[in-house]
Amino acid sequence: MIKRTDFVYSSESEPHRIRTKKILKQFPQLRKLIGKNPNTIFAIVGLVAFQVVLAWFLRDQSWWWVFGAAYLLGAFADHALFVMIHECTHQLLFKNRNANRWASMFANLPQILPSAISFEKYHIKHHSFQGVHELDADLPNKWEAKLISNSFFGKALWLLFFPVFQLFRLSRLREIHPIDGWIITNFLLQVIFTTAIAYFMGWHSVAFLLLSFSFSVGLHPLGARWIQEHYLTHSVEQETYSYYGNFNAVAFNVGFHNEHHDFPSIPWNKLPEIKKTAPEFYDTLYYHTSWTKLFFRFLFDREISLFNRILRKDRGRVALTDVSKPDVEMEMVKEH
């Protein structure tokens, strides 16, 4: 067994813009999938209502019911809401940017912690500068990877407190401004919503929502999604992995991660069409079929640690203001 003490460094540019260009050259019909899906707002409304109604039913139940409902039901709803926020971040609901932001903040409400707008700030940079440590918040800090190491206990602790570790990453992303009016609005809306839940339903309901949030990103098979996307679980050369398992049905196809990075302007409901249209570009890549299997493999396989990530210095001449729409940009070049 080889215990990693550092990340994997690459002198190559991130792979997605190059692959997008190749795919569009061979399959130009994929351009027709680029667009918005305003119907996603109904999924958001339904999921928020589901969490609020469930919180109401649990207001006077035992703590066992609260924990059980959060793990078996609330976690899946909150994880789906994360995907909805992700869609809003890429402006895949409405043409108006601010309308997408309001939708993302509404989706954020049951998750208690204000994260919708900050996610937008940092996630777009993750697309534009994948692997660049000072701009990609998806990458762990070096001290974080050393602290967690490759032990079962360390990795379980990391998943359990995943949002906390993410907060510590923000200090290294100095080129990104963390506070603005939208961030403050997001914070105030969460305070109002949480206060209302506590006042009208009680602390059992608040605890249910907090636990749902924690399980949706942490010590739960759903937490394996964060390992699936970019951790080097099969090859030290392939840095993005898709997931083609059954949970995609309740996670709005978020597992189609290579497809999403290649075509960030295509909404969730059309992502499977990318792989179906251009199978030779995706069937040759490693992929995952089970988040549950990956969850336990990550915890128990001592050859997998937080150092199993690719870092690069080269920003690929991408401007800091890039909004990560390579598929749309190539369409514009074609038109002109």
Side-chain angles (χ1 to χ4, degrees):
M1 183 194 72
I2 300 174
K3 181 179 178 181
R4 290 192 179 279
T5 57
D6 201 354
F7 299 105
V8 178
Y9 293 89
S10 174
S11 58
E12 303 291 328
S13 60
E14 65 88 18
H16 299 289
R17 288 174 185 265
I18 297 170
R19 189 160 60 226
T20 303
K21 188 175 182 179
K22 290 179 180 178
I23 293 174
L24 284 177
K25 185 177 181 180
Q26 189 170 339
F27 301 99
Q29 65 268 35
L30 282 172
R31 301 177 194 276
K32 296 178 182 178
L33 300 179
I34 295 172
K36 314 293 182 184
N37 182 5
N39 290 329
T40 300
I41 192 64
F42 297 113
I44 292 176
V45 171
L47 288 163
V48 170
F50 177 83
Q51 285 295 79
V52 172
V53 169
L54 200 49
W56 171 261
F57 278 113
L58 292 166
R59 70 192 186 281
D60 52 6
Q61 298 297 322
S62 72
W63 286 110
W64 287 110
W65 277 98
V66 171
F67 272 87
Y71 200 87
L72 299 174
L73 296 172
F76 288 92
D78 261 16
H79 185 268
L81 284 169
F82 267 115
V83 183
M84 299 295 93
I85 291 171
H86 176 261
E87 291 291 296
C88 295
T89 288
H90 285 282
Q91 301 177 56
L92 295 176
L93 274 70
F94 311 114
K95 291 182 179 180
N96 183 278
R97 178 188 290 270
N98 290 345
N100 285 290
R101 284 175 173 161
W102 284 110
S104 73
M105 288 189 290
F106 181 71
N108 192 192
L109 290 176
Q111 297 176 334
I112 303 297
L113 300 182
S115 59
I117 302 301
S118 58
F119 178 79
E120 176 187 332
K121 282 179 173 288
Y122 295 102
H123 181 70
I124 295 300
K125 295 296 181 283
H126 161 63
H127 273 263
S128 299
F129 304 100
Q130 181 175 310
V132 179
H133 207 237
E134 66 269 22
L135 287 171
D136 187 353
D138 192 63
L139 292 163
N141 287 313
K142 193 165 186 177
W143 67 260
E144 179 183 339
K146 283 184 176 180
L147 176 68
I148 299 309
S149 189
N150 62 346
S151 71
F152 168 85
F153 178 76
K155 288 185 280 190
L157 198 69
W158 182 74
L159 283 173
L160 184 63
F161 294 104
F162 184 70
V164 177
F165 282 106
Q166 282 193 310
L167 284 174
F168 280 113
R169 298 174 187 176
L170 304 186
S171 61
R172 78 165 191 260
L173 309 173
R174 295 170 186 166
E175 295 175 68
I176 305 173
H177 300 295
I179 305 294
D180 62 16
W182 284 101
I183 291 284
I184 295 170
T185 301
N186 192 181
F187 176 80
L188 292 175
L189 285 174
Q190 292 301 130
V191 169
I192 294 168
F193 176 83
T194 307
T195 301
I197 293 292
Y199 181 80
F200 291 106
M201 300 186 193
W203 292 108
H204 278 219
S205 297
V206 174
F208 161 73
L209 294 176
L210 277 171
L211 287 167
S212 295
F213 169 80
S214 177
F215 291 141
S216 71
V217 297
L219 201 57
H220 188 288
L222 290 171
R225 175 187 155 198
W226 316 117
I227 309 304
Q228 164 243 309
E229 292 180 343
H230 295 290
Y231 279 83
L232 307 177
T233 50
H234 289 80
S235 167
V236 293
E237 296 177 352
Q238 183 181 320
E239 59 188 289
T240 305
Y241 297 81
S242 288
Y243 157 76
Y244 301 130
N246 294 330
F247 279 161
N248 274 319
V250 292
F252 294 87
N253 294 325
V254 76
F256 288 79
H257 204 59
N258 264 305
E259 294 83 348
H260 167 63
H261 267 269
D262 292 345
F263 294 91
S265 303
I266 293 179
W268 66 269
N269 57 308
K270 296 179 180 179
L271 288 177
E273 283 295 311
I274 302 171
K275 182 177 185 294
K276 186 178 178 181
T277 303
E280 54 264 55
F281 284 93
Y282 297 104
D283 290 347
T284 54
L285 298 174
Y286 292 105
Y287 58 87
H288 295 280
T289 57
S290 171
W291 275 340
T292 303
K293 181 180 177 181
L294 180 60
F295 173 70
F296 288 108
R297 183 188 166 199
F298 172 69
L299 289 175
F300 289 100
D301 189 341
R302 295 182 69 87
E303 291 192 9
I304 299 178
S305 73
L306 302 193
F307 281 124
N308 287 51
R309 293 293 299 263
I310 286 181
L311 267 64
R312 57 175 49 83
K313 295 290 185 183
D314 183 13
R315 297 188 179 189
R317 292 177 293 184
V318 177
L320 187 63
T321 53
D322 183 75
V323 293
S324 184
K325 293 185 178 181
D327 43 1
V328 172
E329 290 167 5
M330 289 170 194
E331 174 70 8
M332 292 170 67
V333 169
K334 177 177 177 288
E335 289 176 352
H336 290 84

